[in-house]
Each structure stands twice: as structure tokens, then as C-alpha cells.
């Protein structure tokens, strides 16, 4: 299992950054994301606890379920299904106000499911692809919110 983290300062107020990054249909502004949609609304907000999101990224397809929603400070999710198959323990975004805007910390803990080579493929293939994808989405957020 690998932990992957990307941090960026988005030059916008925390409420705007939280709203943009939890509305995953915005992710298609990144060239690495092909399609995102909300397939089930959350209990108290569209992207709140219980929401289900479906993503098609260049690296694969993911179905995520929101498990924690604390606007504008944090959101967490778990990947229920993916292609290629993976084990996923945690997805978390935290948001902290800074002098220059909002510091976003995006962390995931996952591993590609492949007998014998899953750990190797995760470290050398999946990790760089996921961190690049996260960075690209955060860059798109910064551009959209400036």
C-alpha cells in the first residue's frame, strides 16, 4: 500500500477552493480527466457524505463514495471500484487558509491489485500517474479560481 500526497496553494478563498474541488465535474478542466459525474447525491449536500462519484481519467475508471464532509476544511472518500482494480484505504483533501490563499493537501492510500507485482507497479507506475493527475487538477483549480 502506498501513500501519495500532493500539496498546492490555490490563490483563492477557502470556501471557493473547497466548493470547486469537491464538485468533481470541475476535474474535466484538467487534460488528464475525461469524464466525471455525480451518480448519487450525499445526505446533506450533493457532494456530502454518501455521495457517489464516477470518474474516467486517463489512468482508469473510479467509483468513489464520500465518507467524510466538513466544509470548508476536509473531505474524505474511498474508491469502491476501479479499472484497473485497486485496493484503496483512504482519499482525503484538507484545506487550510493561508496568506496567499488556500493550502490544499490531497492524499490517497492505495495499491494496484496484481499478484506478486502490485506493490512494484504501484510504486513505479501508479504513484507517478496519480500524483501527476492530482497536480493537474489542482493547477486547473488555481487557474479557474484566480
Amino acid at each position: 500500500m502506498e501513500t501519495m500526497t500532493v500539496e498546492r496553494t490555490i490563490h483563492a478563498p477557502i470556501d471557493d477552493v473547497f466548493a470547486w474541488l469537491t464538485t468533481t465535474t470541475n476535474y474535466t478542466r484538467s487534460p488528464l480527466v475525461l469524464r466525471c459525474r455525480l451518480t448519487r447525491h450525499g445526505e446533506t449536500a450533493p457532494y456530502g457524505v454518501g455521495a457517489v462519484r464516477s470518474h474516467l481519467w486517463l489512468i482508469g475508471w473510479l467509483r468513489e463514495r464520500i465518507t467524510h464532509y466538513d466544509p470548508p476544511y476536509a473531505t474524505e472518500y474511498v474508491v469502491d471500484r476501479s479499472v484497473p482494480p485497486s485496493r484503496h484505504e483512504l482519499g482525503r483533501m484538507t484545506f487550510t487558509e493561508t496568506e496567499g490563499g488556500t493550502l490544499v493537501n490531497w492524499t490517497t492510500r492505495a495499491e494496484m491489485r496484481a499478484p506478486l507485482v502490485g506493490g512494484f507497479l504501484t510504486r513505479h507506475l501508479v504513484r507517478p500517474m496519480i500524483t501527476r493527475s492530482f497536480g493537474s487538477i489542482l493547477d486547473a483549480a488555481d487557474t479557474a479560481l484566480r
Side-chain angles (χ1 to χ4, degrees):
M1 199 65 73
E2 287 284 316
T3 299
M4 296 155 255
T5 300
V6 176
E7 276 193 348
R8 287 278 195 302
T9 296
I10 308 296
H11 299 90
I14 192 169
D15 291 315
D16 296 346
V17 175
F18 183 88
W20 200 96
L21 284 167
T22 55
T23 304
T24 56
T25 53
N26 289 324
Y27 294 6
T28 57
R29 294 187 190 185
S30 161
L32 303 178
V33 180
L34 305 174
R35 186 181 66 232
C36 294
R37 63 189 184 106
L38 180 64
T39 58
R40 182 176 0 148
H41 282 245
E43 297 166 10
T44 60
Y47 288 93
V49 172
V52 176
R53 314 179 300 192
S54 175
H55 304 279
L56 180 59
W57 296 11
L58 288 180
I59 61 173
W61 173 83
L62 311 161
R63 185 178 69 200
E64 301 172 342
R65 182 175 34 87
I66 303 298
T67 58
H68 178 77
Y69 185 76
D70 180 21
Y73 304 107
T75 188
E76 294 182 5
Y77 60 92
V78 64
V79 175
D80 289 329
R81 293 188 63 200
S82 66
V83 176
S86 66
R87 288 183 26 230
H88 189 263
E89 289 182 350
L90 170 73
R92 175 187 300 133
M93 278 189 205
T94 60
F95 304 81
T96 306
E97 288 181 281
T98 65
E99 195 170 306
T102 304
L103 176 65
V104 179
N105 179 297
W106 192 347
T107 299
T108 193
R109 185 158 170 74
E111 182 176 63
M112 179 181 267
R113 264 197 250 166
L116 304 173
V117 296
F120 177 84
L121 291 174
T122 301
R123 278 186 299 284
H124 299 287
L125 182 66
V126 174
R127 179 185 191 80
M129 291 189 323
I130 286 177
T131 56
R132 182 169 179 226
S133 297
F134 285 4
S136 177
I137 292 165
L138 293 171
D139 290 344
D142 194 40
T143 298
L145 294 171
R146 274 188 188 251

